[in-house]
């Protein structure tokens, strides 16, 4: 388990600069996607095959934020889900850095995928999915405690995060089941960013947040990136997109032939 | 010796094949202490459930040179004890006695005599319910497996339930025992007061259940342990007063109502033991008045089986 | 959730349960056929399918209650591996009362209705050799608390409990002996939706905190999504699809799974 943790604390290595040697490039590479394709076959509708994307190849290094773009239906969400191992690709590989090596999510055993999700891949959406009766502060502390951070420090960091996201302190001891949608979303953000995963997959995490809170989330994303996180995201909102992106990746050109 | 009226019956009532079958069951039972051996229970001239199992065991092993004692609830003079004793004196021509020491075979219901048994003696228990697990597990198939595999946790669950409900183990008779640290066994409905007498007894202990068709045994000098918890060890009943007739404090006492104004006294359940002590000159607090009221001789059993 | 529950990435860790080519026939009829999978400590595996799909047959074999017609069920406990049905019966029965746990759909099948809640929980400790009343009672009280049954109810019989409480009692009775594998057959079947949610919640926390491996049979995909890491989809006695729970539910490949997931809201 230790090597998984160490991956988070390896110093960021400058990348993509001229003169950087291949070794350094290699070390910074967090995600390598090759020839990724996804068709959906609807067996109960006469075996209709719906091709979504094909031939997607992408390298993602530490400190990068790639924003997936393309028209609605271009397959942004499909690709993001394949990067998390949620959708199973029809073809291609999704290699994820784990310590010193790359592991292909597509051919990995299910429990390896689960372990990578726990250690390396973070999925951040606008929806909170947690144990209904656990208090908010515990939900936010949990990723820290799981990593062996002591309780006092975890409480401090979780409190700071909730405060930053403007979640009223009176709610911290309550379970979020009865919170408003926006409050639940902020609990989810706090949990995701209190100890961000080395690779963050962002599925419109700022949707339906107000302007102030959206700006705070953008700051959190950028801080995580500066600390070395590699980010792939989908953002509906143009302004957020521009503030987060180091690079755009237009999926329209990878549209599979129907 | 043989009276003409009994010539219609085989010796000891049962035919030789039946006795041989029962003896085989007894031998197996002795070889596997505490294990319930099934046997083909025969009809006896009284209803099943009234001691027919004990009678069949007695009939299978008794011979003309034996001396038989029969007790019911500790007394030799109750109807059932008298009937069974008379039965065997007629069909097996054995001598009978009320003296524990003088008996070679003792058939009993609900008690073990207070006078310690000795080597060479056989005590035969009448058993209504031979399966100690039955009240907890209804399936015979399952209880056989539980015995076979030594899965006796359920017995302690029962003891747990007693302690949880009453603060102590409320089972006061037919208190389950582990025989030779292997089979958990029902000692028949003797008071748990008698359980320690079974442990390492020099006598052979045989158990017959006629209705349930089971025979089991505890050979001489076998360890018999009453089940308990470390923090709730097994204990026997104690009385605050000695026997009102013989003054002993070492026996199991029965409560006897002596008049219709609520008067009562506690006396030895084992009538022969009590009498022997009185003959030896021991006297309890109420002996004189009991004799004056002719209670000692007029004493009757408290209840039918 | 907790560090203890995280499976290591290293695949050299031994699975606690390993099934190879498991087949159970009832005469000519197939109960289940050629099932293979492994289960690691801390993992929760769901088996879904409709009534008659063979999922309950499979569970009965795994739990040691029915002997398979062919195939092998290997168990690893404390570094020692053995074939479940090569064990003699007393050993298998002893394991089922200690290292195994079975949570039945009906609490009546898993509880002793004539015995108090405390006695029901205490039985497995007694089976495991405890002969100290005070210790047994303290453990029973602790476990009733963990499944959210007030300790004042310790001497009540299960018949006096609601359906949800009975099911929680059954879980306490199973978990008290610290089993390594727990099998659950429709654990929330027959309960109200709100009671179900509470029970699922409790199960999830307990299974994760204790690092137990669990196999849950259910026809309820929402239950599967909430509780399981991996899923096996069964139809007509065989496995039609398997994978991570979210993969199978969100991106079903087999026609039957697509039908199953489109028929319900998850």
């Amino acid at each position: 388990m230790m090597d998984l943790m160490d991956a988070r604390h390896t110093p960021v290595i400058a990348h993509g600069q001229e003169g950087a040697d291949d070794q350094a490039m290699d070390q910074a590479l967090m995600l390598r996607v090759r020839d990724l394709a996804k068709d959906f076959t609807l067996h109960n509708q006469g075996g209709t095959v719906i091709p979504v994307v094909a031939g997607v190849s992408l390298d993602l290094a530490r400190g990068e934020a790639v924003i997936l773009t393309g028209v609605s239906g271009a397959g942004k969400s499909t690709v993001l889900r394949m990067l998390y191992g949620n959708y199973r690709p029809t073809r291609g590989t999704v290699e994820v850095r784990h310590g010193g090596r790359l592991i292909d999510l597509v051919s990995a055993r299910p429990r390896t995928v689960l372990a990578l999700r726990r250690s390396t891949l973070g999925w951040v959406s606008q929806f909170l999915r947690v144990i209904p009766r656990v208090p908010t502060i515990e939900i936010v502390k949990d990723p820290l405690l799981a990593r062996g951070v002591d309780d006092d420090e975890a409480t401090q960091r979780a409190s700071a995060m909730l405060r930053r996201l403007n979640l009223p302190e009176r709610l911290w001891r309550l379970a979020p089941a009865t919170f408003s949608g926006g409050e639940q979303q902020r609990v989810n953000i706090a949990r995701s960013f209190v100890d961000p995963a080395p690779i963050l997959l962002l599925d419109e995490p700022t949707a339906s947040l107000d302007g102030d809170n959206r700006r705070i989330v953008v700051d959190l994303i950028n801080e995580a990136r500066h600390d070395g996180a590699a980010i792939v995201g989908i953002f509906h909102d143009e302004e957020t997109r521009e503030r987060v992106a180091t690079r755009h990746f237009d999926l329209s050109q990878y549209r599979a032939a129907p | 010796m043989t009276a003409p009226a009994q010539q219609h019956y085989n010796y000891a009532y049962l035919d030789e094949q039946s006795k041989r079958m029962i003896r085989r069951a007894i031998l197996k039972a002795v070889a596997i202490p505490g294990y319930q051996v099934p046997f083909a229970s025969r009809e006896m001239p009284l209803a099943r459930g009234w001691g027919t199992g004990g009678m069949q065991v007695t009939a299978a092993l008794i011979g003309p040179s034996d001396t038989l004692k029969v007790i019911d609830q500790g007394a030799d003079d109750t109807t059932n004890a008298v009937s069974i004793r008379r039965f065997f004196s007629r069909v097996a021509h054995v001598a009978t006695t009320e003296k524990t020491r003088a008996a070679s075979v003792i058939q009993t219901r609900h008690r073990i005599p207070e006078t310690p048994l000795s080597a060479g003696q056989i005590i035969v228990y009448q058993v209504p319910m031979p399966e100690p697990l039955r009240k907890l597990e209804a399936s015979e198939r399952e209880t056989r497996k539980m015995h076979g595999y030594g899965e006796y946790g359920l017995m302690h669950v029962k003891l747990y339930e007693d302690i949880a409900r009453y603060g102590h183990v409320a089972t006061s008779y037919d208190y389950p025992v582990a025989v030779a640290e292997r089979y958990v066994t029902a000692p028949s409905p003797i008071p748990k007061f008698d359980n320690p007498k079974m442990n390492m007894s020099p006598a052979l202990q045989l158990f017959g259940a006629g209705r349930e068709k089971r025979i089991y045994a505890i050979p001489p000098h076998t360890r018999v342990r009453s089940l308990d918890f470390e923090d709730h060890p097994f204990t026997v009943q104690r009385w605050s007063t000695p026997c009102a007739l013989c003054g002993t404090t070492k026996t199991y006492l029965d409560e006897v109502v002596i008049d219709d104004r609520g008067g009562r006294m506690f006396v030895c359940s084992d009538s022969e033991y009590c009498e022997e002590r009185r003959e030896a000159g021991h006297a309890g607090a109420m002996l004189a008045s009991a004799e004056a009221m002719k209670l000692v001789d007029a004493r009757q059993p408290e209840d039918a089986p | 959730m907790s560090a203890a529950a995280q499976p290591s990435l290293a695949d050299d860790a031994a699975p606690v349960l390993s099934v190879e080519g498991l087949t159970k026939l009832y005469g000519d009829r197939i109960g289940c056929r050629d099932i293979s999978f492994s289960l690691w400590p801390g993992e929760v595996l769901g088996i879904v399918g409709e009534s008659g799909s063979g999922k309950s047959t499979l569970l009965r074999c795994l739990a040691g209650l029915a002997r398979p017609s062919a195939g092998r069920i290997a168990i690893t406990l404390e570094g020692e591996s053995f074939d479940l049905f090569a064990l003699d019966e007393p050993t298998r029965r002893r394991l089922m009362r200690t290292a195994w746990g079975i949570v039945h759909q009906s609490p009546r099948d898993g509880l002793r209705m004539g015995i108090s809640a405390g006695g029901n929980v205490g039985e497995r400790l007694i089976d495991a050799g405890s002969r100290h009343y005070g210790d047994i009672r303290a453990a029973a009280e602790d476990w009733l608390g963990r499944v959210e049954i007030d300790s004042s109810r310790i001497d009540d019989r299960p018949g006096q409990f609601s359906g949800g409480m009975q099911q929680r009692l059954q879980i306490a009775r199973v978990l008290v002996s610290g089993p390594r594998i727990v099998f659950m057959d429709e654990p929330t079947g027959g309960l109200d939706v709100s009671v179900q949610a509470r029970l699922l919640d409790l199960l999830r926390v307990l299974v994760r905190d204790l690092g137990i491996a669990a196999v849950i049979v259910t026809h309820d995909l929402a239950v599967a999504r909430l509780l399981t890491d991996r899923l096996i989809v069964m139809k007509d006695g065989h496995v039609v699809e398997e994978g991570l729970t979210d993969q199978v539910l969100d991106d079903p490949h087999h026609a039957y799974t697509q039908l199953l997931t489109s028929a319900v809201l998850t």
Side-chain angles (χ1 to χ4, degrees):
Chain A
M1 217 52 229
M2 269 326 290
D3 52 348
L4 287 182
M5 298 312 166
D6 290 346
R8 296 173 173 228
H9 302 299
T10 310
V12 184
I13 296 165
H15 61 90
Q17 309 295 328
E18 64 278 18
D21 62 58
D22 289 350
Q23 191 62 32
M25 284 275 290
D26 200 35
Q27 283 301 311
L29 185 67
M30 292 302 289
L31 189 68
R32 184 164 72 189
V33 178
R34 287 293 177 271
D35 193 30
L36 198 62
K38 180 65 181 172
D39 304 336
F40 288 100
T41 306
L42 307 179
H43 293 286
N44 299 301
Q45 290 171 35
T48 311
V49 176
I50 302 176
V52 181
V53 291
V56 176
S57 294
L58 168 71
D59 285 350
L60 182 71
R62 274 179 228 284
E64 267 196 309
V66 172
I67 304 304
L68 303 180
T69 60
V71 295
S72 178
K76 301 186 292 290
S77 181
T78 298
V79 168
L80 199 65
R81 282 169 178 270
M82 286 193 283
L83 301 186
Y84 191 60
N86 175 228
Y87 283 3
R88 291 170 281 189
T90 309
R91 280 186 309 281
T93 55
V94 176
E95 291 172 292
V96 175
R97 171 168 301 283
H98 168 61
R101 60 197 170 114
L102 292 170
I103 295 173
D104 177 22
L105 214 51
V106 180
S107 56
R109 295 188 194 193
R111 60 191 299 266
T112 306
V113 176
L114 280 182
L116 284 171
R117 285 182 185 175
R118 290 193 179 106
S119 65
T120 310
L121 293 165
W123 180 269
V124 190
S125 75
Q126 56 179 307
F127 303 108
L128 177 68
R129 203 172 232 164
V130 286
I131 305 155
R133 290 183 299 161
V134 176
T136 296
I137 184 83
E138 298 300 325
I139 291 171
V140 179
K141 275 164 69 179
D142 192 65
L144 295 166
L145 296 177
R147 255 192 56 211
V149 173
D150 74 53
D151 196 73
D152 282 352
E153 189 192 336
T155 305
Q156 268 180 25
R157 288 172 61 181
S159 303
M161 186 58 75
L162 287 168
R163 205 169 283 125
R164 191 166 168 193
L165 281 157
N166 298 313
L167 199 83
E169 198 160 343
R170 62 185 163 78
L171 297 179
W172 296 2
R173 296 303 315 165
L174 303 177
T178 57
F179 292 5
S180 72
E183 284 162 349
Q184 288 195 11
Q185 192 176 348
R186 277 178 280 154
V187 175
N188 193 35
I189 300 281
R191 178 183 164 86
S192 301
F193 285 94
V194 73
D195 180 39
I199 299 172
L200 286 170
L201 304 172
L202 310 178
D203 183 16
E204 306 232 31
T206 57
S208 76
L209 285 180
D210 61 39
D212 284 347
N213 281 314
R214 190 181 307 149
R215 272 185 290 280
I216 293 166
V217 175
V218 167
D219 288 346
L220 287 171
I221 294 169
N222 285 328
E223 283 166 27
R225 185 172 63 74
H226 283 295
D227 289 343
I231 293 166
V232 183
I234 303 171
F235 291 94
H236 182 72
D237 161 56
E238 176 76 39
E239 186 198 330
T240 309
R241 222 157 38 212
E242 293 317 312
R243 292 193 52 202
V244 169
T246 61
R247 184 149 65 99
H248 292 277
F249 190 89
D250 186 3
L251 277 171
S252 306
Q253 53 187 309
Y254 297 100
R255 198 69 192 270
Chain B
M1 181 98 184
T2 308
Q6 271 75 55
Q7 281 181 338
H8 303 295
Y9 294 106
N10 193 39
Y11 180 77
Y13 189 75
L14 292 173
D15 64 272
E16 293 305 313
Q17 287 304 322
S18 295
K19 286 193 281 189
R20 194 171 296 169
M21 174 273 293
I22 293 168
R23 285 178 203 131
R24 276 199 295 268
I26 292 171
L27 283 174
K28 182 170 177 182
V30 169
I32 316 170
Y35 172 74
Q36 300 166 51
V37 182
F39 80 110
S41 184
R42 297 293 191 241
E43 290 300 327
M44 295 299 282
L46 75 166
R48 287 185 173 177
W50 289 70
T52 57
M55 284 174 74
Q56 290 177 76
V57 170
T58 300
L61 53 84
I62 205 160
S65 59
D66 275 311
T67 304
L68 178 68
K69 171 183 163 80
V70 182
I71 49 171
D72 181 359
Q73 303 264 21
D76 296 84
D77 54 1
T78 58
T79 314
N80 217 243
V82 169
S83 302
I84 291 173
R85 197 162 55 229
R86 190 180 298 154
F87 174 80
F88 280 112
S89 75
R90 283 170 68 178
V91 301
H93 327 300
V94 291
T96 60
T97 181
E98 296 191 0
K99 298 285 177 204
T100 299
R101 271 182 251 279
S104 59
V105 177
I106 300 166
Q107 183 171 329
T108 178
R109 170 177 175 270
H110 291 196
R111 278 308 311 275
I112 297 174
E114 304 290 1
T115 304
L117 302 180
S118 54
Q121 287 185 309
I122 301 174
I123 181 165
V124 179
Y125 298 79
Q126 297 171 206
V127 182
M129 187 63 255
E131 178 49 74
L133 298 165
R134 181 61 67 235
K135 272 181 270 179
L136 304 166
E137 173 56 61
S139 157
E140 170 72 16
R141 186 188 153 87
E142 185 64 16
T143 51
R144 283 200 200 188
K145 279 192 179 175
M146 291 162 81
H147 281 296
Y149 303 152
E151 294 174 1
Y152 291 126
L154 208 46
M155 295 304 308
H156 274 87
V157 174
K158 167 73 172 69
L159 301 183
Y160 168 92
E161 291 289 284
D162 268 9
I163 299 170
R165 191 156 304 149
Y166 308 110
H168 58 93
V169 176
T171 305
S172 57
Y173 65 92
D174 209 356
Y175 190 107
V177 294
V179 175
E181 298 301 331
R182 177 59 185 86
Y183 286 97
V184 164
T185 303
S188 86
I190 58 171
K192 66 175 181 174
F193 180 89
D194 286 343
N195 274 22
K197 295 175 189 166
M198 306 178 94
N199 184 36
M200 303 307 284
S201 170
L204 171 62
Q205 305 178 70
L206 300 175
F207 299 77
R211 190 187 54 205
E212 303 292 327
K213 305 181 180 64
R214 293 289 184 278
I215 286 171
Y216 51 101
I218 301 173
H221 307 291
T222 300
R223 174 146 162 78
V224 177
R225 179 174 56 83
S226 302
L227 303 183
D228 61 2
F229 283 109
E230 290 158 18
D231 51 341
H232 283 264
F234 174 79
T235 56
V236 297
Q237 295 99 326
R238 304 219 173 279
W239 286 264
S240 51
T241 56
C243 170
L245 298 179
C246 77
T248 183
T249 56
K250 297 189 174 77
T251 64
Y252 186 80
L253 301 183
D254 280 339
E255 188 177 12
V256 179
V257 176
I258 51 173
D259 55 37
D260 53 7
R261 296 182 302 279
R264 57 197 59 211
M265 61 180 181
F266 286 92
V267 300
C268 290
S269 145
D270 184 340
S271 54
E272 186 267 337
Y273 179 84
C274 195
E275 229 173 275
E276 192 181 80
R277 273 181 55 87
R278 293 201 302 274
E279 280 164 13
H282 296 282
M286 293 176 74
L287 180 61
S289 53
E291 278 171 350
M293 293 163 74
K294 298 194 185 302
L295 279 171
V296 174
D297 289 328
R299 195 169 156 247
Q300 286 298 313
E302 308 88 297
D303 56 358
Chain C
M1 283 264 129
S2 72
Q6 286 190 13
S8 161
L9 252 192
D11 280 340
D12 53 0
V16 66
L17 176 69
S18 208
V19 177
E20 291 165 37
L22 187 77
T23 297
K24 173 72 180 172
L25 305 170
Y26 296 102
D28 291 340
R29 204 165 57 77
I30 292 168
C32 60
R33 142 180 118 212
D34 200 23
I35 313 281
S36 300
F37 66 87
S38 292
L39 185 70
W40 278 264
E43 249 188 344
V44 181
L45 176 75
I47 304 175
V48 297
E50 295 167 334
S51 306
S53 61
K55 56 187 175 11
S56 292
T57 298
L58 174 58
L59 189 76
R60 284 183 57 77
C61 291
L62 296 178
L65 300 175
R67 184 175 283 275
S69 312
R72 188 166 179 272
I73 300 173
I75 308 284
T76 304
L77 293 172
E78 282 151 20
E80 222 179 305
S81 270
F82 43 85
D83 183 338
L84 178 58
F85 283 94
L87 292 175
D88 57 28
E89 192 180 15
T91 308
R92 191 163 63 241
R93 283 169 65 105
R94 195 179 63 243
L95 281 173
M96 282 171 60
R97 292 195 313 273
T98 50
W100 260 242
I102 302 167
V103 176
H104 296 266
Q105 178 172 7
S106 165
R108 289 186 170 272
D109 296 334
L111 293 173
R112 294 191 187 277
M113 300 305 283
I115 282 169
S116 70
N120 266 287
V121 177
E123 182 174 354
R124 299 219 352 161
L125 293 175
I126 291 169
D127 281 340
S130 176
R131 291 290 180 271
H132 190 283
Y133 174 83
D135 291 352
I136 293 164
R137 191 153 175 95
E141 271 176 7
D142 176 46
W143 269 96
L144 289 180
R146 288 166 85 163
V147 298
E148 301 172 15
I149 295 174
D150 194 289
S151 64
S152 69
R153 306 294 303 270
I154 190 168
D155 294 329
D156 290 350
R157 293 188 179 183
Q160 294 164 266
F161 289 179
S162 68
M165 278 172 80
Q166 287 181 4
Q167 207 55 309
R168 296 204 300 278
L169 179 60
Q170 204 190 163
I171 289 161
R173 172 178 159 90
V174 163
L175 295 186
V176 68
S177 65
R180 300 323 302 154
I181 312 176
V182 176
F183 302 95
M184 304 186 198
D185 186 8
E186 304 277 5
T188 60
L191 298 177
D192 292 343
V193 175
S194 63
V195 178
Q196 271 195 27
R198 185 178 181 192
L199 186 70
L200 290 173
D201 196 21
L202 184 75
L203 275 176
R204 185 156 81 159
V205 172
L206 287 175
V207 165
R208 297 218 170 157
D209 286 356
L210 301 172
I212 295 171
V215 178
I216 298 176
V217 160
T218 181
H219 68 277
D220 186 336
L221 298 185
V223 168
R225 189 186 281 278
L226 201 61
L227 283 183
T228 66
D229 300 311
R230 285 194 293 131
L231 216 52
I232 284 178
V233 183
M234 289 189 70
K235 181 176 174 10
D236 300 331
H238 64 276
V239 174
V240 296
E241 186 159 358
E242 62 181 303
L244 288 176
T245 298
D246 63 292
Q247 284 178 345
V248 173
L249 295 181
D250 294 341
D251 183 17
H253 284 194
H254 191 274
Y256 177 72
T257 318
Q258 290 185 354
L259 197 64
L260 209 60
T261 51
S262 65
V264 287
L265 301 167
T266 55

